[in-house]
Amino acid sequence: MPRRRIGFWYRLAAVICKPPLVVLIKRDWRGMENIPAEGGFITAVNHNSHVDPFAYAHYQYNTGRVPRFLAKSGLFKKGFVGAAMRGTGQIPVYRESTDALSAFRAAIDAVERGECVAFYPEGTLTRDPDGWPMTAKTGAARVALQTKCPVIPVAQWGCNELLPPYTKKPNLLPRKTHQVLAGPPVDLSRFYGKEMTAEVLKEATEVIMAAVTRQLEEIRGEKAPETPYDPRRERIEQRRRTRQAKSQPTPPRTQGPQAEGQST
């Protein structure tokens, strides 16, 4: 697959990032044949470690179709980081926009220019206790339905063993293996032409995440839970348990043996 549209800044990032990645992790990468050679497309990737964006970018770089990640617009404004973000063609997301579609306009434009846009649909590191993909936000589905581009489900595993989610201390030894499996495009054709209501976007997102989860099941050799972990539902349940605990009557204090006995 030919390398194309990589440019100076992406090559510089590769020079800086690839050597430590090669030293720290082994690679078991599959499914590159499912990455389109031409045209715009989306990859939907699970997220379970602060290291995995770098490791996944390495995988995608080696296909010749470099990923354009979505990132907060504030990162593009100042200093070397801003220059690198702009130079590598990363995509600013203007979350202050009141129009949901406008918030992803840059991603839509990139797909229409023939770029690969990489989405972490979960929006943050998974909170599932066993590392499975959790419920996702609808941004990837919104861009996919607007552009009708291919959506490639990608699962990865191993960086979470190097640096577990929500921890700061890496487990360097023994050397971990970064496994990636990209699947065939997700069929979203039944949603084309429909109004992008909240229900349609939710259903399309569930179809995308189910495909990502199937790839991860193949990597891990086990079945995911029937119902994805839902942080919102968990927060509601936690508040319910807290209110219930507060509403319970305080048990009376038991008297000590001296209070119970007769005075002398």
Side-chain angles (χ1 to χ4, degrees):
M1 194 174 293
R3 292 189 179 276
R4 54 197 287 274
R5 299 184 183 179
I6 291 179
F8 166 77
W9 279 99
Y10 234 120
R11 293 186 186 279
L12 176 62
V15 167
I16 294 171
C17 295
K18 284 176 69 174
L21 290 171
V22 169
V23 169
L24 290 173
I25 53 179
K26 296 179 285 187
R27 292 168 301 286
D28 177 10
W29 291 348
R30 293 176 284 156
M32 287 187 178
E33 69 278 4
N34 290 314
I35 301 298
E38 299 292 336
F41 65 101
I42 287 171
T43 58
V45 193
N46 67 307
H47 192 16
N48 53 31
S49 172
H50 286 302
V51 176
D52 68 46
F54 301 97
Y56 169 67
H58 187 187
Y59 168 89
Q60 188 76 44
Y61 181 93
N62 280 22
T63 71
R65 300 299 307 276
V66 295
R68 313 299 184 186
F69 289 95
L70 280 78
K72 293 183 295 185
S73 58
L75 294 175
F76 292 74
K77 295 179 180 179
K78 294 182 181 180
F80 178 81
V81 171
M85 296 291 283
R86 294 189 300 272
T88 54
Q90 307 314 309
I91 299 171
V93 176
Y94 299 95
R95 294 182 179 179
E96 63 273 15
S97 173
T98 57
D99 180 349
L101 192 58
S102 295
F104 293 99
R105 172 51 58 188
I108 292 169
D109 291 345
V111 169
E112 292 177 344
R113 289 196 306 270
E115 301 282 359
C116 164
V117 177
F119 274 87
Y120 281 112
E122 296 160 282
T124 186
L125 294 172
T126 183
R127 295 184 182 276
D128 182 272
D130 295 317
W132 292 103
M134 60 182 183
T135 56
K137 301 181 185 301
T138 61
R142 189 179 293 276
V143 174
L145 297 184
Q146 176 70 18
T147 62
K148 297 183 175 61
C149 69
V151 179
I152 308 300
V154 181
Q156 56 181 340
W157 189 256
C159 287
N160 53 302
E161 296 173 344
L162 172 65
L163 184 66
Y166 305 103
T167 63
K168 295 181 179 179
K169 185 177 181 180
N171 300 320
L172 299 178
L173 296 175
R175 191 166 170 236
K176 308 303 186 290
T177 299
H178 181 227
Q179 300 179 75
V180 182
L181 178 60
V186 180
D187 183 7
L188 298 177
S189 59
R190 67 180 180 273
F191 301 107
Y192 294 165
K194 292 185 177 181
E195 182 183 356
M196 282 196 285
T197 63
E199 187 58 36
V200 165
L201 290 170
K202 179 177 180 291
E203 188 177 348
T205 299
E206 289 172 350
V207 171
I208 292 170
M209 293 308 296
V212 174
T213 302
R214 285 194 296 271
Q215 304 305 308
L216 188 56
E217 288 178 332
E218 184 170 339
I219 288 175
R220 295 177 60 173
E222 55 185 305
K223 290 293 291 181
E226 288 294 328
T227 303
Y229 181 88
D230 186 341
R232 181 176 177 273
R233 186 172 60 236
E234 181 62 26
R235 287 192 299 269
I236 293 171
E237 180 62 22
Q238 181 60 46
R239 287 196 294 268
R240 186 193 65 79
R241 290 193 294 264
T242 300
R243 288 195 301 268
Q244 188 177 44
K246 289 180 178 179
S247 67
Q248 295 296 323
T250 304
R253 295 178 60 184
T254 58
Q255 295 180 327
Q258 290 184 349
E260 292 177 349
Q262 295 180 351
S263 61
T264 56

